[in-house]
Amino acid sequence: MSAKEVYQLDALDADLKELHPPARLAVLGHPVAHSRSPQMHQPALAAAGIDAQYIRIDVPPERLGEAFEKLRAAGFVGANLTIPLKQEAVSLVSDLDEAARLSRSVNTVLFDGDTVRGYSTDGAGFVRAIREAFWVDVRDLRVMILGAGGGAGRALAVQCAMERCSRLVLVNRTVEKVQALEKELSPFFRSDRLLGPTDRMAAIGFEVPRLQAELEYIDLVVNATSLGMKRSDPPVLPSSLIHPALIVYDTVYASGKSRLLEDAQANGARTGDGLSMLLHQGALAFEIWFNRDAPLEAMRTGLYGTAS
Ligand code: NAP
């Protein structure tokens, strides 16, 4: 089995020779010890009958190109990328899928001969997570993304635009970031569809009166800010703004329920946390690597601890 929790790039060549079965997949990050991806991908490999290991490798951003070269030469199938490598990878891969190109973020790479292909499965994983949990399609929803100017928020906003959701409200502390994003994504929303009194897109800051006005015309609110990872964080949305008709999804998957989800449940809204997005982006990565359906239930059990 895998001997180390985290592998270091400098000792990687020697370490890989000691691994049986061989490592063929990895999550790369800096730091990377927190990553829960091995918890779902190792069971997935076992369930699919693939005799290989999925390991964690610590890769400083400035050495990501070198890491790709080492993994490709060692016969790796692909890798996942986490903070802070998703943006770094964009200029290092040979080609990008549409989601990766628009979100300027790569969370999955495939080593295909001499080519390193880059994908972003975060947004599509989110869409699957919403469909599975709430039996609704993002394309039919009016969506508000809190933190749409950050890495994850941008990926979700891009996916919502690609799905041509009914309405998209981009919220960010640094409002200039979402104003620029709104311009980029507006071509997806050009249509004759009549919606009533609201525009199909808006880009706003966190001012409470504006949030309150927009939330009247929203079905799904997503927290993609980094707030909520610590219990001491301020609330991302005042509890009084959360109405019972909302679905509230928190991309954070820290231990225990986030304050946002506690508030949402107390107000009668339906809720979901980021673990389901992690699961489905991982399943989509598996599909890219092996060109077959992912063993979703094995992955779910690995991630959640029990079958559900
Ligand atoms: P990031 O690129 O650093 O973006 C952070 C975002 O949070 C930015 O929009 C930032 O706004 C905002 N923010 C930070 N502090 C804030 C505050 N005090 N008030 C309001 N907004 C604030 O981080 P990221 O990589 O996108 O990660 C964001 C979250 O997504 C994390 O909680 C992470 O766990 C989660 N995530 C989950 C998954 C999953 O699979 N479930 C995948 C990826 C990420 P400014 O632009 O104004 O700085």
Side-chain angles (χ1 to χ4, degrees):
M1 282 307 289
S2 154
K4 294 183 179 176
E5 279 295 302
V6 176
Y7 288 82
Q8 302 298 327
L9 206 48
D10 284 328
L12 191 65
D13 294 335
D15 283 343
L16 289 179
K17 291 195 179 100
E18 302 297 316
L19 282 180
H20 306 286
R24 289 288 175 260
L25 292 166
V27 55
L28 317 182
H30 186 68
V32 73
H34 67 279
S35 171
R36 294 173 71 168
S37 290
Q39 266 174 256
M40 60 177 162
H41 281 298
Q42 199 59 55
L45 290 169
I50 300 166
D51 196 23
Q53 294 194 51
Y54 183 108
I55 62 174
R56 296 183 185 91
I57 308 175
D58 192 296
V59 178
E62 66 280 7
R63 297 184 68 187
L64 184 57
E66 179 191 339
F68 284 162
E69 193 42 46
K70 274 185 192 289
L71 298 183
R72 204 184 53 73
F76 272 61
V77 176
N80 288 127
L81 305 177
T82 187
I83 294 171
L85 306 178
K86 292 183 184 185
Q87 282 76 28
E88 198 66 31
V90 170
S91 59
L92 296 172
V93 298
S94 325
D95 62 49
L96 295 165
D97 75 348
E98 187 184 19
R101 182 175 56 77
L102 289 170
S103 62
R104 294 189 211 118
S105 164
V106 170
N107 77 338
T108 301
V109 294
L110 172 72
F111 300 114
D112 183 7
D114 288 343
T115 306
V116 183
R117 302 191 191 282
Y119 303 82
S120 176
T121 67
D122 280 333
F126 161 76
V127 168
R128 282 194 185 184
I130 295 294
R131 188 182 302 136
E132 186 183 71
F134 305 107
W135 294 74
V136 285
D137 275 316
V138 163
R139 79 169 82 92
D140 295 324
L141 298 178
R142 300 167 298 174
V143 185
M144 173 183 279
I145 299 173
L146 309 171
R154 186 181 169 93
L156 300 190
V158 161
Q159 190 71 34
C160 288
M162 286 168 56
E163 304 272 333
R164 292 170 172 78
C165 67
S166 299
R167 215 177 153 240
L168 184 58
V169 177
L170 309 171
V171 184
N172 208 55
R173 178 177 59 180
T174 315
V175 74
E176 295 77 16
K177 289 188 194 170
V178 282
Q179 285 166 342
L181 183 59
E182 182 189 21
K183 279 206 187 86
E184 272 183 65
L185 298 182
S186 60
F188 286 99
F189 290 93
R190 271 187 212 126
S191 86
D192 299 330
R193 220 157 125 182
L194 290 176
L195 252 189
T198 54
D199 290 327
R200 280 191 77 190
M201 280 195 92
I204 64 174
F206 273 95
E207 302 79 29
V208 170
R210 188 70 202 270
L211 284 172
Q212 187 164 22
E214 292 291 349
L215 279 165
E216 278 192 46
Y217 304 99
I218 290 296
D219 308 301
L220 168 65
V221 182
V222 185
N223 175 34
T225 74
S226 33
L227 290 179
M229 298 178 87
K230 297 192 293 288
R231 289 299 294 179
S232 53
D233 284 345
V236 62
L237 204 60
S239 168
S240 59
L241 299 191
I242 304 173
H243 59 75
L246 283 174
I247 295 172
V248 180
Y249 189 85
D250 200 336
T251 65
V252 170
Y253 50 87
S255 59
K257 207 177 294 163
S258 71
R259 185 152 156 197
L260 174 68
L261 296 188
E262 274 178 9
D263 288 347
Q265 282 179 7
N267 291 4
R270 289 178 291 165
T271 59
D273 73 38
L275 213 50
S276 55
M277 175 176 155
L278 184 70
L279 171 69
H280 286 286
Q281 64 76 29
L284 286 159
F286 189 97
E287 289 173 19
I288 289 167
W289 294 325
F290 297 110
N291 200 21
R292 58 186 275 186
D293 286 348
L296 190 64
E297 293 317 312
M299 298 178 81
R300 195 193 309 272
T301 304
L303 196 55
Y304 287 77
T306 52
S308 58

